[in-house]
Amino acid sequence: MGFCSALIVMFMASFGVVLTVEYCTLCAFDSCIESHACLDEDLLNATGCISFWISYNGNLNLSYAGCWEPSFGSCEELIEYEQLQGFDAVCSICYNDNCNVGYFLAPLTKNTVQTKLLDSSDCGQIGFEGSDKLNSHLGSLRLRAALDDKRGYSLDIIFREIKWNKAHLRLSQENEMDLSICKVYSRAHDAAQVSISEAIDSCFNFEHYNSSVNYLLDFMAELDTDILYKNLVFNFPNVANFGNDTPLQNRAIFCSVDISSNYDIYLNIQALPLMYNVTYYKVEVFKIKGGSNILLDVRMLKAGLEPELSFEFITYNDEGYYFFQISAVNDICPEDACLKSISATIYIRRRYPPLVIGIVGASFLIPCILFMFHMWNRRNQPVDKNEEAQSTIYLVYSQTPEKHYLIVKALEKSLKNLAKVQIVSNISEASHIIYICGTHIFQPDPIVHKHLVIEANRAISSVEILVVCLPYSTKEMPPYLKKCLRFNLMEDFEKLIHLFCCDVDFSSHTQYGELDAQVKAAQIHTEPKKIILNMPVIIVTEQSDTEPEPKEADVLL
């Protein structure tokens, strides 16, 4: 796996023109020297490459990318000269002896992003251990794969809405951490208040890639005490099926899987070029069980103008191996007719490993005693009557069909914002469990099912189980839920909300309006039509005293 890096930053300058500045590296410098013939007699002293833009009144007047030698002057001197003439200018110089430093000067001096390679010892000292539950909104990242001139793969890492001031990145092969590549990105401390809309670290070269190998990307960004953590897994399709000259029937699709969380994982799909006229992307989710591939879910994602599509799948922390299949659909290539690209296979571990009590069991007694002492003190403290514990809710629902899934998500937002409750991802942490009936009866995963059965059959339970029915919901439900409190949406929405928060006025809230509109639309779409049957009419002829029974000539019309 070869490596080079050229950081490109897209931004809107103060004069309203979108510019691109390339941060150099060794490979960028070498290509510059070769392409601009820096070794000619006139430029024997060239020691770097320069990119220079001049603008006046919002119009780009001049751009230059070529060789640089010390006699040209520094970026500061060149920009100062142009500003004295009334021009705006942006300059970047790549030096032969320091290709990991980029200059991003006036008028956006504070938006400088510098990148530096780390050796293996420094890389080993960085702990890429994080939790998606602690993530702050410091930006996002996505991957973009392309073919280079040597028919190998190059990978761009695109950062969006950068708010962090320092970040670390590690790229490695699965089970080959010794071959990892580590980089550090940094900005001026006071520059973090200014967001950069997009930055591209281009490129990581994979000259000798292996389509059967998984690659891991760990990313951790910081801003003061806030942290953003991402963990992506991806592989490369066969290069013979990835070129844009490949027919759609044989065209492979690049994707990555975000496994920052065990509970829900995200499939990120790199959209095909617009020339393919893709209308949908079919996504199939499989779990490997007993040597067989079990189909868990199927979705059709509508193609658009966005360069990437994302699909969320909830694993419920169910241990096992998962993978996705992606295929394109359009008028020429109908469903299941195009090549199916297979994502990297990922392994979901149990969130909480089983507790093993052994010789070290004695060390467990000390925190238990301290905890009991703490709880005894807390029970004897005066309780503030105005302070109420926040209710925690665990939602049990089917992810199909898609309209039902969207309504569940809208209900989840309404509960959080209107009822002021907390949605938890672990059923054992919930004070209330809401079972949402869908279009068909469904079976939750074994852990949730067992918990529901136990709590529903308890004489006295610390968890309250509620059942929410929608206009299109099936009348069937698991027998152990028949004694639970039931709510019909949207008829009983007020009762449901007031169960958690008595003084909320939700009638004018936008989220209530959105949920009501989605439920009504789904009701109209799924409401059965009234069917009028043409039943036969029986006509009985007049009967005489001598003919007590109808004649065979009597007919049914």
Side-chain angles (χ1 to χ4, degrees):
M1 180 172 61
F3 172 76
C4 68
S5 173
L7 186 62
I8 302 175
V9 179
M10 303 293 297
F11 65 97
M12 185 66 71
S14 60
F15 43 81
V17 177
V18 178
L19 300 178
T20 303
V21 175
E22 182 173 342
Y23 284 73
C24 64
T25 58
L26 286 172
C27 60
F29 173 79
D30 294 340
S31 62
C32 168
I33 294 295
E34 181 179 352
S35 60
H36 294 287
C38 292
L39 300 180
D40 289 348
E41 294 182 359
D42 295 338
L43 292 171
L44 290 177
N45 296 323
T47 57
C49 299
I50 184 172
S51 299
F52 196 67
W53 289 267
I54 300 174
S55 174
Y56 180 72
N57 289 338
N59 296 317
L60 189 64
N61 288 355
L62 176 64
S63 63
Y64 171 76
C67 303
W68 178 87
E69 62 180 44
S71 62
F72 291 175
S74 65
C75 269
E76 293 91 336
E77 294 171 340
L78 293 172
I79 290 176
E80 181 180 2
Y81 174 80
E82 296 299 337
Q83 288 178 337
L84 291 175
Q85 308 300 319
F87 294 95
D88 292 307
V90 176
C91 174
S92 174
I93 295 179
C94 169
Y95 298 98
N96 187 19
D97 57 348
N98 191 7
C99 278
N100 286 319
V101 178
Y103 293 88
F104 200 16
L105 303 177
L108 296 176
T109 306
K110 290 187 176 181
N111 268 356
T112 302
V113 178
Q114 294 186 350
T115 177
K116 179 183 178 182
L117 278 171
L118 299 178
D119 56 30
S120 57
S121 60
D122 292 336
C123 185
Q125 295 177 4
I126 301 173
F128 288 93
E129 299 292 338
S131 170
D132 67 300
K133 304 300 180 187
L134 304 177
N135 276 351
S136 299
H137 186 64
L138 302 180
S140 61
L141 78 158
R142 68 179 180 90
L143 307 181
R144 181 174 63 196
L147 295 180
D148 58 21
D149 297 337
K150 299 178 181 179
R151 299 294 291 179
Y153 275 104
S154 65
L155 184 72
D156 296 343
I157 301 177
I158 303 172
F159 306 98
R160 299 275 302 174
E161 302 300 332
I162 300 175
K163 296 182 179 67
W164 41 261
N165 56 14
K166 189 174 184 180
H168 294 87
L169 182 144
R170 178 177 65 194
L171 182 62
S172 58
Q173 289 187 18
E174 193 174 35
N175 302 323
E176 294 288 347
M177 289 300 177
D178 295 337
L179 302 178
S180 21
I181 297 166
C182 282
K183 298 191 68 177
V184 59
Y185 306 92
S186 60
R187 301 172 61 196
H189 190 272
D190 57 346
Q193 299 178 358
V194 181
S195 173
I196 294 181
S197 61
E198 183 173 288
I200 306 175
D201 193 348
S202 173
C203 55
F204 296 84
N205 288 338
F206 295 78
E207 298 176 358
H208 305 290
Y209 80 97
N210 187 344
S211 58
S212 62
V213 171
N214 290 347
Y215 296 90
L216 309 178
L217 187 145
D218 294 282
F219 179 76
M220 186 170 61
E222 306 170 10
L223 176 62
D224 298 329
T225 58
D226 294 332
I227 294 177
L228 170 66
Y229 170 75
K230 289 292 180 183
N231 183 210
L232 304 180
V233 182
F234 64 94
N235 57 12
F236 290 107
N238 191 322
V239 69
N241 299 106
F242 197 72
N244 291 337
D245 54 349
T246 306
L248 183 60
Q249 291 83 350
N250 302 322
R251 181 63 156 85
I253 300 173
F254 175 77
C255 64
S256 62
V257 183
D258 187 341
I259 57 171
S260 307
S261 167
N262 258 11
Y263 181 77
D264 50 353
I265 56 180
Y266 290 85
L267 173 69
N268 302 315
I269 304 171
Q270 178 176 316
L272 295 179
L274 297 178
M275 65 181 185
Y276 283 106
N277 295 321
V278 177
T279 53
Y280 290 95
Y281 292 90
K282 182 178 180 180
V283 177
E284 299 170 280
V285 188
F286 291 90
K287 182 180 180 182
I288 303 175
K289 190 172 183 179
S292 302
N293 298 332
I294 309 300
L295 180 62
L296 302 180
D297 199 356
V298 179
R299 295 295 178 89
M300 300 294 285
L301 305 183
K302 187 174 179 59
L305 300 178
E306 293 296 325
E308 184 179 71
L309 290 84
S310 183
F311 166 65
E312 178 188 15
F313 178 75
I314 300 179
T315 65
Y316 298 102
N317 296 319
D318 190 12
E319 186 176 13
Y321 289 92
Y322 296 80
F323 68 92
F324 298 86
Q325 276 189 178
I326 310 101
S327 58
V329 178
N330 69 359
D331 296 336
I332 302 176
C333 191
E335 184 177 350
D336 295 328
C338 284
L339 176 69
K340 293 192 175 185
S341 301
I342 301 177
S343 73
T345 301
I346 60 173
Y347 180 66
I348 297 298
R349 295 175 174 83
R350 290 190 183 273
R351 187 176 181 181
Y352 300 109
L355 179 64
V356 179
I357 301 177
I359 300 176
V360 297
S363 62
F364 182 73
L365 295 177
I366 297 175
C368 283
I369 295 172
L370 294 175
F371 178 76
M372 292 172 63
F373 183 75
H374 166 73
M375 294 301 295
W376 183 83
N377 285 336
R378 183 176 178 181
R379 187 177 63 178
N380 288 277
Q381 289 179 354
V383 179
D384 187 359
K385 294 182 179 181
N386 296 324
E387 182 180 356
E388 296 183 358
Q390 186 182 25
S391 299
T392 54
I393 292 179
Y394 184 87
L395 299 178
V396 181
Y397 58 92
S398 172
Q399 296 189 32
T400 56
E402 187 174 2
K403 287 188 177 181
H404 173 69
Y405 176 76
L406 295 176
I407 290 175
V408 171
K409 287 300 180 181
L411 176 61
E412 179 181 333
K413 291 181 181 178
S414 300
L415 289 172
K416 286 196 293 187
N417 295 326
L418 298 178
K420 306 302 181 185
V421 299
Q422 179 184 358
I423 307 297
V424 296
S425 58
N426 189 352
I427 194 170
S428 61
E429 299 174 357
S431 61
H432 295 76
I433 301 173
I434 298 181
Y435 182 97
I436 304 174
C437 297
T439 57
H440 58 281
I441 191 169
F442 67 97
Q443 187 77 1
D445 69 272
I447 298 175
V448 175
H449 175 71
K450 181 180 178 181
H451 193 88
L452 279 171
V453 173
I454 293 174
E455 295 298 333
N457 291 297
R458 285 185 189 272
I460 300 176
S461 176
S462 59
V463 180
E464 186 171 4
I465 302 176
L466 310 174
V467 177
V468 170
C469 298
L470 294 153
Y472 55 82
S473 296
T474 177
K475 302 302 180 184
E476 299 179 358
M477 68 172 58
Y480 54 84
L481 297 177
K482 295 199 174 189
K483 295 182 180 180
C484 297
L485 191 60
R486 184 183 304 182
F487 298 89
N488 295 319
L489 291 187
M490 298 290 292
E491 179 182 348
D492 298 331
F493 184 78
E494 181 178 1
K495 298 177 183 178
L496 177 63
I497 292 296
H498 286 173
L499 184 67
F500 305 101
C501 186
C502 297
D503 56 352
V504 63
D505 180 17
F506 58 84
S507 57
S508 60
H509 202 282
T510 56
Q511 287 193 342
Y512 169 76
E514 292 175 1
L515 176 61
D516 187 37
Q518 288 189 16
V519 172
K520 287 180 179 177
Q523 179 181 2
I524 294 172
H525 182 72
T526 58
E527 189 175 63
K529 296 181 180 179
K530 295 181 179 179
I531 301 175
I532 301 176
L533 297 176
N534 294 322
M535 299 298 293
V537 178
I538 302 177
I539 301 177
V540 180
T541 60
E542 294 183 0
Q543 301 179 17
S544 64
D545 295 336
T546 59
E547 293 176 340
E549 296 296 330
K551 297 179 179 180
E552 292 183 359
D554 299 340
V555 295
L556 298 179
L557 300 180

